[in-house]
Amino acid sequence: MDSYLGLAQSKVKPRSLVDGFSNRTATIKKRPPRPTGYPTTASRPISTSSIVIDSAAQFRYLQEEHLALLERYKKLEESYTALQGEYAKVKSDNERLQGAYEELQESYNSVTAKNFNAGKLLVYLKLKRRTDKETLEKRNIIKNEACFNTYLQDVVMLEQHPRIPRVVHECIAVLEANDKFMRSPGLYRVSGDHNAIQNLRYDINANNYKRLRKQKSPHEVCGILKLFLRELKDPLISLETCAKYLPDVIQMKTNTRLKIKQLIGSLDEVRQNTLKVLMKHLRSVAAIEENEVDSFSLGLLFSSLIFNETLADVCPVKFQKLTAVPRECIIAMMEDYDAIFE
């Protein structure tokens, strides 16, 4: 307190005497406003012991919260039970599908392509419109088989010399390795079992010759060889090529060997090798009397296979003209094998 004024001064000292009287309130540090309900000096002071806690209301609140949690727990428990049931169902379905998958896998590994039926597949798919075969082949939907009903250059060849179709080598090897087969009556003339030949066809297309080598009858083996030659899309010798060198039977009576050698020389290496191996085999077959097959019958049979003639819708005179030259050509190849091929 200042002695000459007799007044209480602020801690903030004014800059001048005038400021001390004129702006005295500005120099006083203001207190913060009191909160509402704050007890005044006139009222009774409040102590901590005067605060009352409503325990009944708090208990009711906790009780409501407990009931809400119980309801939530029941809902979660019901959801968990439902999920457990769905899980058990899914697990059962999974085990069933797994068993079916393993069964299908075993069936797929055990069966061959013979069980595939394109007709049944088309019926299953309920295809109302059928596209022609040529269009499907152009779209690469229908592909040529690996061995049958295809072109000669696409057939699997023998790895060793000479370079010929493997199916021809295998069939000849099976027949010539069994003397009983070679002496079987009606060899190449008796038809084999159709189902057995079709099964062999599927195996050979898959490059599997185990079943062919285990055949107990020669007629199915002969049927496979004939089927292969018959279904070639490009025959070993075409009729057009034959007509260039041997236009008719009369021309065959002069210089027959020379003309046939010229005909064979015009072919590619695979066809030449195949004809050489095939004629050598047929000559061996014709030389055995027990099989009751001669060179004429073999020439008539194999002329339609090697030259792949179209024998349908022809008159008898044209038929005789078409088959005479190929037949005599095959007979000459067998009988004069050494002079023509060696």
Side-chain angles (χ1 to χ4, degrees), residues 24 30 63 67 73 82 141 146 161 178 223 318 335:
R24 183 175 180 271
K30 294 183 179 180
Q63 198 172 25
L67 293 175
Y73 170 77
I141 297 174
H161 186 77
N178 193 327
K318 191 176 181 180
E335 295 180 348

Side-chain angles (χ1 to χ4, degrees), residues 4 8 15 21 41 49 65 70-71 76 103 113 117 136 142-143 153 160 166 168 200-201 229 265 268 272:
Y4 65 90
R15 289 176 295 180
F21 285 98
T41 54
S49 59
E65 287 292 320
L70 283 178
E71 291 179 359
L76 290 175
E103 183 179 354
N117 191 320
L136 294 175
I142 295 180
K143 299 182 180 179
Q153 65 268 17
Q160 61 193 28
R166 185 181 177 184
V168 176
L200 290 171
R201 174 188 186 133
L229 295 173
D268 55 67
Q272 290 182 15

Side-chain angles (χ1 to χ4, degrees), residues 68-221:
L69 289 175
L70 283 178
E71 291 179 359
R72 186 178 179 185
Y73 170 77
K74 289 181 180 179
K75 291 181 179 179
L76 290 175
E77 192 174 19
E78 291 174 356
S79 301
Y80 174 75
T81 305
L83 289 175
Q84 273 190 328
E86 292 180 3
Y87 171 76
K89 184 179 178 181
V90 170
K91 186 178 180 181
S92 176
D93 293 340
N94 179 62
E95 291 175 355
R96 179 176 56 81
L97 292 175
Q98 186 68 24
Y101 171 78
E102 292 175 356
E103 183 179 354
L104 288 174
Q105 189 69 26
E106 291 177 0
S107 301
Y108 176 79
N109 294 333
S110 61
V111 300
T112 58
K114 65 183 180 182
N115 292 328
F116 176 78
N117 191 320
K120 290 183 179 179
L121 179 62
L122 292 177
V123 173
Y124 177 76
L125 296 177
K126 299 180 180 179
L127 298 179
K128 296 182 179 180
R129 292 187 58 188
R130 291 189 176 183
T131 311
D132 57 297
K133 186 178 180 181
E134 294 181 358
T135 305
L136 294 175
E137 288 179 351
K138 289 180 181 179
R139 294 179 182 176
N140 209 21
I141 297 174
I142 295 180
K143 299 182 180 179
N144 293 326
E145 298 179 47
C147 185
F148 297 90
N149 194 26
T150 186
Y151 295 95
L152 185 61
Q153 65 268 17
D154 297 332
V155 177
V156 177
M157 296 293 168
L158 188 66
E159 296 180 357
Q160 61 193 28
H161 186 77
R163 189 169 181 269
I164 63 173
R166 185 181 177 184
V167 60
V168 176
H169 170 78
E170 292 284 348
C171 290
I172 293 175
V174 170
L175 291 171
E176 294 185 350
N178 193 327
D179 186 64
K180 184 179 178 181
F181 284 1
M182 294 292 287
R183 297 180 183 277
S184 178
L187 192 66
Y188 283 109
R189 295 174 60 186
V190 177
S191 300
D193 182 77
H194 176 74
N195 292 332
I197 292 174
Q198 289 301 315
N199 291 336
L200 290 171
R201 174 188 186 133
Y202 294 125
D203 288 344
I204 293 171
N205 275 329
N207 204 24
N208 182 7
Y209 292 88
K210 293 181 180 180
R211 186 179 300 183
L212 180 69
R213 295 166 186 164
K214 295 179 181 180
Q215 287 299 307
K216 297 181 180 180
S217 171
H219 304 303
E220 285 74 23
V221 182

Side-chain angles (χ1 to χ4, degrees), residues 239-293:
L239 290 175
E240 291 78 9
T241 305
C242 181
K244 292 180 182 178
Y245 300 93
L246 301 166
D248 51 39
V249 181
I250 299 175
Q251 295 291 332
M252 290 192 65
K253 296 181 179 180
T254 57
N255 299 327
T256 304
R257 295 178 183 174
L258 178 61
K259 292 177 180 179
I260 293 177
K261 289 183 71 173
Q262 291 176 350
L263 172 63
I264 295 174
S266 65
L267 305 175
D268 55 67
E269 181 184 1
V270 175
R271 284 177 167 79
Q272 290 182 15
N273 295 336
T274 305
L275 278 173
K276 182 178 180 180
V277 172
L278 193 57
M279 291 303 113
K280 184 178 180 179
H281 168 68
L282 294 179
R283 184 184 66 168
S284 302
V285 172
I288 300 174
E289 296 181 357
E290 288 83 353
N291 57 31
E292 302 175 0
V293 179

